[in-house]
Amino acid sequence: MNQAKQQAESKSIPTVKLLINGEFVDSTSTEWRDIVNPATQQVLARVPFATNDEVNRIVASAKAAFHTWRKTPIGARARIFLKYQQLIRENMKELAALLTAEQGKTLPDAEGDIFRGLEVVEHAANIGNLQMGELANNVASGVDTYTLQQGLGVCAGITPFNFPAMIPLWMFPMAIACGNTFVLKPSEQDPMVTMRLVELALEAGIPPGVLNVVHGGEAVVNALCDHPDIKAISFVGSTKVGTHVYHRATLAGKRVQCMMGAKNHAIVLPDANKEQTLNSIAGAAFGAAGQRCMALSAIVLVGEANNWIPELVEKARSLKINGGTEVNTDIGPLISCAARERVEGFIASGIESGAKLELDGRNPDVPGYKDGNFVGSTIFSGVKPGMKIYDQEIFGPVLCIVSAATLDEAIEFINDNPNGNGTAIFTQSGAAARRFEEEIDVGQIGINVPIPVPVPLFSFSGSRASKLGDLGPYGKQVILFYTQTKTITARWFEDGAVTGGVNTT
Ligand code: NAD
């Protein structure tokens, strides 16, 4: 293609804007990336990798806005989020369509992605009940001690591709409701729905400079980690990148919370309700094409439950692979061609390492979507630690089946895995479930619930390699994360009261 034609074509493709001080502006960067529909390979838009100068301008805008935003009454802050949740509801269908186009997940799943974020927005609208200090009366004679929970300043959020609505909404609503200003760095793979949510946030009344958006990859993330005017960073993404962000940003003196990769195991005891359990596992392993951080990617079958493999395979085989906009689709495409190749590589390595391929989802026939990044449900049994398919996060529709003789052996097996994001047990025994919740070292625990993501009254958590930092996103913990505690000890003298002399102790 000649250069003039290439330029004309690239001009007709929309560009994703930066948001600086309330204005959506085109980046001056020379480095751009295509946003591609994973079901069709159609280029939907182009996203910039912002320049260092743009990063500095964005942080400066957030810093300037903090001076007034921190003094905005708590009720005024809360009302913005009341309006915001209403706007998200009104625009749900449009948001879901945008999300499916750039991310690939099915439309009902896209609505779920937005809805889980909307619940955090509703929670942010309750900030008046959440951002409260403590008071102890008469800690000494005539002396009271109380705390203030004040916004920190500029906070930043770095988000992954797999929940482009929910995860940005885990971050900026609570940070801003607490009185901070915010710089968001969405995933460069699917930032369009995030940008539409940001537009709606401005429409709801978030003032210029309070919410800003920068785009980019490694260089922009490193610039945010190093920037002296950013006080806290929230990260969600892979363990490798999150560990890097945690170390780099804490070294620069910031508060950091990183929610990272996973290998989520479920234990199936033979007394479980078989039909419910197998349906739950099929949905949690293969839904969203296995690209949920809480997807069940390994199951440990205990005793007689090992006989259930053929029925699980039949359920997995019946799941419908298709474009995310088609009705009754169970499994949409993976995010990119590279992701598809990666998952196919894992399947090949599973076969080479001696695991038994019970169901092969490679190269499915998807009429009308011949270019899509599809991989269907895939199941391996006889999986062992040391095999690449077990040791690494595949992030695709591939389920590893492991066998254990007892519940204790299954718990020990899960605790030996480096990751501790989510887990579940399927059983009818209360005693077994209680033993599991006591002994397992994992952040989110489901009891007959396959994907136990906490509602925003609680905080998301994680153990071991799945989380760095003490406080999790949303819920009560994030109020502490996004605020500075000041502790005041106060004494007031009444007019005419006689006081002692100089106190030197
Ligand atoms: P990723 O780590 O590749 O990217 C996350 C963010 O980091 C993106 O904004 C990206 O631009 C940036 N980034 C990428 N490479 C970088 C680098 N070298 N240096 C600095 N920044 C970089 O993750 P992803 O592929 O977008 O998302 C999938 C991962 O996220 C999976 O591992 C999944 O388990 C995890 N995840 C975890 C949770 C959780 O709550 N624990 C939730 C969702 C996703």
Side-chain angles (χ1 to χ4, degrees):
M1 197 185 314
N2 70 37
Q3 210 183 352
K5 192 168 171 218
Q6 218 168 13
Q7 274 175 355
E9 279 198 2
S10 69
K11 276 203 177 126
S12 67
I13 298 171
T15 53
V16 180
K17 313 290 186 230
L18 305 173
L19 174 60
I20 311 182
N21 202 26
E23 302 282 335
F24 290 98
V25 296
D26 259 321
S27 170
T28 57
S29 179
T30 52
E31 198 188 342
W32 293 72
R33 176 193 165 117
D34 289 342
I35 300 160
V36 179
N37 181 324
T40 63
Q41 308 305 333
Q42 182 200 352
V43 177
L44 303 170
R46 297 168 72 234
V47 64
F49 286 60
T51 65
N52 213 25
D53 178 54
E54 285 165 343
V55 173
N56 288 335
R57 278 171 47 216
I58 285 169
V59 177
S61 125
K63 188 181 177 191
F66 180 63
H67 294 300
T68 42
W69 183 246
R70 66 189 286 267
K71 302 255 170 81
T72 307
I74 203 160
R77 283 182 259 144
R79 277 188 289 278
I80 290 176
F81 292 98
L82 270 180
K83 172 86 176 153
Y84 188 32
Q85 65 81 27
Q86 182 198 348
L87 288 174
I88 294 174
R89 280 176 201 281
E90 286 170 7
N91 291 277
M92 179 63 89
K93 296 283 174 212
E94 179 215 332
L95 289 162
L98 198 53
L99 200 161
T100 295
E102 63 177 343
Q103 205 277 350
K105 64 178 71 173
T106 66
L107 284 172
D109 215 14
E111 286 202 24
D113 187 334
I114 298 157
F115 184 77
R116 297 310 295 257
L118 169 67
E119 289 183 307
V120 182
V121 176
E122 290 171 341
H123 199 62
N126 280 315
I127 193 66
N129 294 319
L130 299 170
Q131 193 179 357
M132 307 225 312
E134 297 173 315
L135 185 145
N137 183 219
N138 282 326
V139 291
S141 182
V143 177
D144 300 326
T145 296
Y146 53 96
T147 58
L148 304 181
Q149 299 298 142
Q150 295 190 322
L152 297 171
V154 182
C155 300
I158 300 155
T159 58
F161 80 82
N162 65 330
F163 283 98
M166 177 183 82
I167 292 176
L169 292 175
W170 277 5
M171 296 178 183
F172 73 79
M174 292 305 289
I176 289 173
C178 286
N180 300 287
T181 57
F182 205 81
V183 176
L184 178 65
K185 206 302 284 171
S187 168
E188 67 278 29
Q189 299 197 72
D190 49 11
M192 292 166 68
V193 70
T194 317
M195 292 312 287
R196 185 68 189 116
L197 283 164
V198 164
E199 279 175 15
L200 293 175
L202 298 197
E203 199 179 321
I206 291 185
V210 172
L211 174 60
N212 306 271
V213 185
V214 64
H215 298 289
E218 185 175 356
V220 165
V221 169
N222 285 343
L224 296 175
C225 291
D226 297 344
H227 203 295
D229 291 332
I230 294 178
K231 303 296 175 205
I233 292 197
S234 301
F235 171 92
V236 178
S238 62
T239 301
K240 182 166 171 265
V241 177
T243 305
H244 163 76
V245 165
Y246 186 82
H247 289 137
R248 189 155 177 152
T250 50
L251 201 63
K254 299 181 198 338
R255 232 175 240 199
V256 190
Q257 53 174 196
C258 293
M259 314 310 294
M260 305 184 289
K263 195 83 180 178
N264 306 308
H265 294 61
I267 294 179
V268 182
L269 296 187
D271 69 355
N273 178 317
K274 193 193 319 183
E275 187 64 13
Q276 292 279 3
T277 301
L278 296 182
N279 284 339
S280 297
I281 290 171
F286 308 119
Q291 297 174 116
R292 295 181 182 126
C293 65
M294 290 284 284
L296 283 180
S297 49
I299 56 170
V300 188
L301 301 178
V302 178
E304 294 295 306
N306 279 285
N307 298 330
W308 299 0
I309 294 175
E311 280 168 82
L312 179 61
V313 169
E314 281 326 300
K315 284 197 188 294
R317 199 195 303 279
S318 71
L319 296 176
K320 202 170 154 205
I321 306 159
N322 212 340
T325 52
E326 305 294 339
V327 200
N328 296 331
T329 301
D330 295 306
I331 302 179
L334 291 161
I335 183 71
S336 63
C337 298
R340 193 197 69 231
E341 283 162 20
R342 195 173 160 271
V343 171
E344 288 171 348
F346 271 109
I347 298 172
S349 107
I351 298 165
E352 276 162 33
S353 60
K356 183 176 174 204
L357 184 60
E358 303 272 0
L359 182 64
D360 185 355
R362 288 173 295 179
N363 305 314
D365 183 25
V366 188
Y369 294 94
K370 67 177 175 34
D371 296 324
N373 312 320
F374 294 98
V375 177
S377 353
T378 299
I379 299 181
F380 281 104
S381 63
V383 175
K384 295 192 173 57
M387 294 178 178
K388 199 174 135 195
I389 49 168
Y390 181 75
D391 291 349
Q392 295 187 23
E393 183 181 29
I394 300 176
F395 225 53
V398 181
L399 177 66
C400 296
I401 301 181
V402 181
S403 180
T406 62
L407 172 62
D408 285 344
E409 192 184 310
I411 291 173
E412 202 181 314
F413 184 82
I414 297 176
N415 285 344
D416 279 347
N417 188 281
N419 299 284
N421 197 44
T423 188
I425 188 167
F426 293 92
T427 180
Q428 301 282 38
S429 159
R434 190 164 191 287
R435 185 183 192 82
F436 177 68
E437 73 185 30
E438 285 284 306
E439 301 301 329
I440 206 80
D441 180 13
V442 175
Q444 275 69 230
I445 300 170
I447 298 174
N448 298 312
V449 173
I451 305 189
V453 176
V455 293
L457 305 174
F458 298 85
S459 301
F460 199 87
S461 186
S463 293
R464 301 175 279 144
S466 295
K467 183 184 174 199
L468 283 169
D470 299 329
L471 300 167
Y474 63 82
K476 287 189 188 123
Q477 292 186 12
V478 97
I479 304 289
L480 291 175
F481 182 78
Y482 284 137
T483 59
Q484 178 66 41
T485 305
K486 285 184 183 169
T487 309
I488 294 143
T489 302
R491 179 186 197 181
W492 296 94
F493 301 108
E494 288 178 22
D495 281 350
V498 179
T499 62
V502 174
N503 186 353
T504 57
T505 58

